[in-house]
Amino acid sequence: MIAAVSVVSCHPGNEKVKTARADCESGNAAACKDFADKLQKGEYVLRDYSRAASLYDSACAGGVANGCASLGEMLQRGRGAKRDSVRAAGLYRKGCDGGSMNGCARLGVLYRDSTGMKADIPQAVALFRKSCDGGEMIGCSHLGTLYASGTGVSQDYVQAASLLKKACDAKQPLGCVGLGRLHAAGTGAVQNDSIAASLFEGACGGDTNEGCFDLALAYETGRGRPQTFYRARELYRELCESRNGEACARLAAMYEKGTGVLRNAETADDFRSQACNAGHRASCPKPKSA
C-alpha cells in the first residue's frame, strides 16, 4: 500500500498524478514508474526522493525497464537511497537488457569512466550508439562527445556536431554543452562565442547544472558574454558547493590574483583545499622532496 502523498492542487496536471497514483496502488508497474517520475521532479506533487526510489524499485520488479534505470541513477547519486554504485550498475544492465535506452547510456558512462567496473571504451561506444539509435538523446550526447575527442572512435568533428545538435535540439543539456564547445573552438561548427555562451546558458540550471561552468568561464573571460566577474564568481561558487573541483580552483585563482574580488590569500587557500578534496589534483599540495 502506498503511503499518503500530498498532491499539489490547482495544477492542470494533478489529475494525471492522481490517476497514476491510483493505478500504481492497483498494481500497475508502469503507473508506479510514472508516479515516481512526478515525485522525483516535484511535478504537481510534493517532491519525495525516498518514495520515488521505492516506487522505481516496484516498477523494476514489475518488469518496467526504465524503472530499473531510474532507480540505478538514484542509487548512483545517493538520492532517495544510500549510494550504491555496484547495485546501480546492475540495474542499468537489467534496464538496458530489458529495452531501456536510458539504462544503456548510463551503463556506457560507467564503462567509459571505469566507475564500479573495469574501463571498456569499445563497450561504452557500443552502448552509446545503441542508446542513440534507440532515440535516447543522452546516448547521442555521449557518443558525440567521443567523436569530438576521438575516444574509442576516429575523431570526426562533423559527426560530433551532428550528434550533439540532434541531442541539443531535443533539449538534452549535455548535447547543448558539447555543441557549445564546438562553436567556441570552431571545430565542426562555425566559430561563434555568442552562440556558444547561449548554448551554455540554456543548459545551465536544473538538477545537473550542465553548462554552468562553461557559462561562468564565458563571463570571466568575456567570450560570448560581457565580462562580469561577479556573475562568474557566483556560478563558480554554486558549482564549488556541489563539489566541482575545477570551479573551486577557478575561485581560488580569482582570490589569489584579485580578479574581480579583493585579493585574499587565505580565501584562495580555502578554495584550493576544497578543489583538492573534490578531486582536482592540480590544486593539491605538492609532496615535499626528501
Side-chain angles (χ1 to χ4, degrees):
M1 185 67 177
I2 294 180
V5 178
S6 297
V7 177
V8 179
S9 61
C10 302
H11 285 277
N14 76 326
E15 287 302 320
K16 291 183 179 180
V17 173
K18 291 178 180 178
T19 299
R21 177 184 174 186
D23 290 347
C24 181
E25 288 178 332
S26 299
N28 184 322
C32 288
K33 195 271 179 186
D34 291 340
F35 188 36
D37 287 342
K38 302 295 185 185
L39 286 168
Q40 182 176 195
K41 297 175 183 176
E43 290 184 355
Y44 314 118
V45 65
L46 296 180
R47 182 172 286 172
D48 188 337
Y49 292 130
S50 178
R51 196 65 193 146
S54 177
L55 289 176
Y56 282 138
D57 200 3
S58 296
C60 181
V64 180
N66 277 325
C68 302
S70 295
L71 177 59
E73 184 181 359
M74 295 194 83
L75 288 170
Q76 188 179 3
R77 298 175 69 178
R79 174 171 286 178
K82 185 178 180 181
R83 190 186 301 272
D84 189 338
S85 296
V86 174
R87 188 184 174 206
L91 286 162
Y92 290 152
R93 187 179 301 281
K94 182 176 180 179
C96 183
D97 290 345
S100 169
M101 296 300 98
N102 181 266
C104 294
R106 295 192 181 282
L107 184 60
V109 171
L110 299 189
Y111 276 115
R112 182 197 64 192
D113 298 343
S114 64
T115 304
M117 56 181 63
K118 186 177 179 180
D120 189 333
I121 299 300
Q123 179 73 337
V125 171
L127 286 164
F128 292 150
R129 196 180 303 280
K130 177 180 178 179
S131 174
C132 182
D133 290 345
E136 178 55 64
M137 292 300 103
I138 194 171
C140 297
S141 298
H142 288 304
L143 185 59
T145 300
L146 293 184
Y147 272 108
S149 64
T151 303
V153 293
S154 297
Q155 192 170 49
D156 186 335
Y157 290 119
V158 174
Q159 177 71 349
S162 176
L163 288 164
L164 293 168
K165 186 177 187 306
K166 178 181 178 180
C168 185
D169 287 347
K171 310 300 182 185
Q172 210 293 313
L174 187 61
C176 293
V177 174
L179 183 60
R181 289 173 179 170
L182 293 184
H183 276 293
T187 51
V190 60
Q191 201 289 320
N192 191 307
D193 290 333
S194 181
I195 291 176
S198 293
L199 288 166
F200 299 148
E201 190 164 28
C204 180
D207 288 340
T208 60
N209 284 326
E210 298 286 359
C212 293
F213 180 85
D214 296 88
L215 180 60
L217 197 59
Y219 276 115
E220 184 187 355
T221 60
R223 289 191 60 183
R225 285 290 181 270
Q227 193 171 46
T228 311
F229 294 123
Y230 171 79
R231 182 67 177 133
R233 186 174 74 250
E234 290 307 300
L235 285 166
Y236 285 143
R237 190 183 299 276
E238 290 175 13
L239 291 167
C240 183
E241 289 173 354
S242 300
R243 292 185 59 77
N244 182 311
E246 195 170 4
C248 298
R250 297 298 299 191
L251 280 171
M254 291 180 79
Y255 278 97
E256 183 176 48
K257 298 175 183 177
T259 306
V261 295
L262 292 175
R263 184 176 294 175
N264 189 315
E266 185 177 347
T267 301
D269 287 342
D270 179 58
F271 280 122
R272 192 172 293 108
S273 177
Q274 291 184 55
C276 177
N277 291 336
H280 192 263
R281 293 184 179 179
S283 296
C284 297
K286 302 296 185 292
K288 295 180 179 180
S289 55

